[in-house]
Amino acid sequence: MGELRRRPLIIATVVMFAAVFVVTGRIIGFGRALHLISGPGVGETWFDNPVYTVAESTVVLVLVFAHAWRTPVLVAVPSILALVLVAEHAAFYRPHISLSRADAVQLMLILFIIMAAGGLLLRMRERSRSALAAAAEERVRRDERLDMARELHDVVAHHVTGMLVQAQAALVVAAQDKDKACAMLPGIVEGGTDALGAMSAMVRTLRDNGAAGATTDLTADLHQLAERSGLPVRANVELTADVRPELGRSVLRLVQEALTNARKHAFDATSVEVDVRLTSDLVLLSVVDNGTVRPSHSGGFGLVGMRERVHELGGRFFAGPTGEGWLVTAELPLEVRA
């Protein structure tokens, strides 16, 4: 496509170069145009008309501007030099009514510089716009990758962690009580089924241009999440009004990840409290357990993902030990903040 755009400019440049030289020869004689002989011109022709001179100069200047703006440097430089050379030659040797030779040459040179500078300015502006567009596209791709990474961690890791915990428990009790170990297998199978379903949902989301399906009943989904977590959870959900879909989805993911972390790290917890409530302008959530206190940076991506998700929504996030367990809190605005 770029080559097709350049070709008319190159053809026009060659034609104009030849035309200016031929007209110069018609006005002052080809021998004089080629510096073979000296002396006055061959006589008046209609090419001496000032209207023609202005039109011819305008076309040359437009071609210089177009080359400086559009064509690659390796094409633009020789094309512009050729046009400047033949135009300055004509300005010097052709007779002028109101300008001396020096004035005509100087005027054309100034106009050439102005047109070339204008074309270069437009070229630089377009390159700047292209660079900004490329940077914006890269940011969008990066955000999409981060979102997919969070979804993989929040959704799939939640189910896989449950399967792993149950499988480890089954191994521990298998030596003493095989029946009890076998009784845990349906839970592992159910966790695998849920993980597969979550993966299928993510694939469908990606095929639908990333339009992630949000929860339709946040209160029910939160209670179901607590019941199926495998932890001694006491849930208190007070949502007196609907929240926007992406916010409800984030609340669900935050609670899910907090319960996953509790199941992985606070395996000795005897109490986990989930509290989600609505104020006039915020959704407040907290998940606290009384299990073993673990370091704030355990090497995983759970806390990082939760913090990123909250900050993207314009909220505040905290996770850390309480002295008797671990606390995760978040404040999420009901409306998007500019």
Side-chain angles (χ1 to χ4, degrees):
M1 184 64 71
E3 182 65 31
L4 291 177
R5 285 199 302 265
R6 290 196 300 268
R7 189 173 300 169
L9 278 176
I10 296 172
I11 294 174
T13 300
V14 173
V15 170
M16 199 63 202
F17 180 94
V20 173
F21 190 81
V22 168
V23 170
T24 302
R26 292 281 297 172
I27 294 175
I28 67 172
F30 287 101
R32 295 176 181 82
L34 292 170
H35 307 285
L36 299 178
I37 58 175
S38 60
V42 297
E44 293 186 1
T45 69
W46 68 272
F47 291 118
D48 293 325
N49 191 309
V51 175
Y52 173 82
T53 302
V54 171
E56 182 188 71
S57 301
T58 301
V59 174
V60 173
L61 291 171
V62 168
L63 285 173
V64 169
F65 177 83
H67 278 297
W69 177 22
R70 288 292 188 181
T71 57
V73 175
L74 294 179
V75 176
V77 171
S79 298
I80 291 175
L81 288 178
L83 290 169
V84 171
L85 177 64
V86 72
E88 291 288 28
H89 176 272
F92 183 81
Y93 282 101
R94 291 183 188 178
H96 302 284
I97 298 176
S98 58
L99 293 174
S100 65
R101 286 183 173 184
D103 290 338
V105 170
Q106 186 177 12
L107 176 61
M108 288 301 297
L109 184 60
I110 292 173
L111 292 176
F112 278 128
I113 293 174
I114 292 174
M115 298 303 285
L120 287 174
L121 182 63
L122 285 180
R123 180 192 292 261
M124 293 173 62
R125 189 175 69 173
E126 286 190 353
R127 286 187 176 181
S128 177
R129 287 179 177 176
S130 299
L132 290 174
E137 184 178 353
E138 180 59 29
R139 284 196 299 271
V140 170
R141 290 177 178 174
R142 182 192 61 196
D143 292 342
E144 288 178 348
R145 290 194 296 268
L146 288 175
D147 190 57
M148 285 188 286
R150 282 195 295 267
E151 285 298 306
L152 281 171
H153 187 277
D154 294 349
V155 178
V156 180
H158 171 76
H159 297 296
V160 174
T161 299
M163 295 166 56
L164 181 60
V165 170
Q166 293 182 72
Q168 289 173 336
L171 287 175
V172 170
V173 302
Q176 290 81 20
D177 191 342
K178 292 184 178 181
D179 292 337
K180 188 174 182 180
C182 290
M184 296 180 180
L185 294 178
I188 298 175
V189 172
E190 182 180 0
T193 302
D194 291 341
L196 183 60
M199 286 295 295
S200 298
M202 285 193 64
V203 171
R204 287 195 300 271
T205 295
L206 294 175
R207 286 179 175 175
D208 293 337
N209 297 323
T215 174
T216 56
D217 189 342
L218 182 57
T219 300
D221 288 344
L222 287 170
H223 281 294
Q224 183 182 35
L225 189 63
E227 292 171 1
R228 302 179 64 176
S229 66
L231 295 168
V233 179
R234 184 173 61 186
N236 178 35
V237 181
E238 298 180 6
L239 298 175
T240 56
D242 294 333
V243 298
R244 49 194 170 92
E246 64 272 22
L247 178 58
R249 175 170 166 265
S250 293
V251 169
L252 189 65
R253 293 290 181 258
L254 290 168
V255 174
Q256 185 179 59
E257 177 57 27
L259 292 177
T260 298
N261 284 345
R263 187 161 53 191
K264 289 168 60 177
H265 303 291
F267 49 84
D268 57 344
T270 59
S271 174
V272 180
E273 294 186 6
V274 175
D275 186 89
V276 180
R277 63 186 61 210
L278 198 63
T279 67
S280 59
D281 58 348
L282 295 171
V283 174
L284 306 177
L285 71 87
S286 67
V287 180
V288 60
D289 64 69
N290 64 350
T292 302
V293 176
R294 59 270 193 189
S296 300
H297 302 285
S298 58
F301 297 98
L303 294 180
V304 174
M306 285 192 286
R307 185 174 288 106
E308 287 178 350
R309 188 184 291 275
V310 172
H311 287 171
E312 283 183 359
L313 294 171
R316 296 192 296 176
F317 176 81
F318 170 80
T322 63
E324 298 180 353
W326 188 267
L327 171 67
V328 173
T329 64
E331 297 179 2
L332 303 172
L334 288 176
E335 299 297 334
V336 179
R337 295 175 181 174

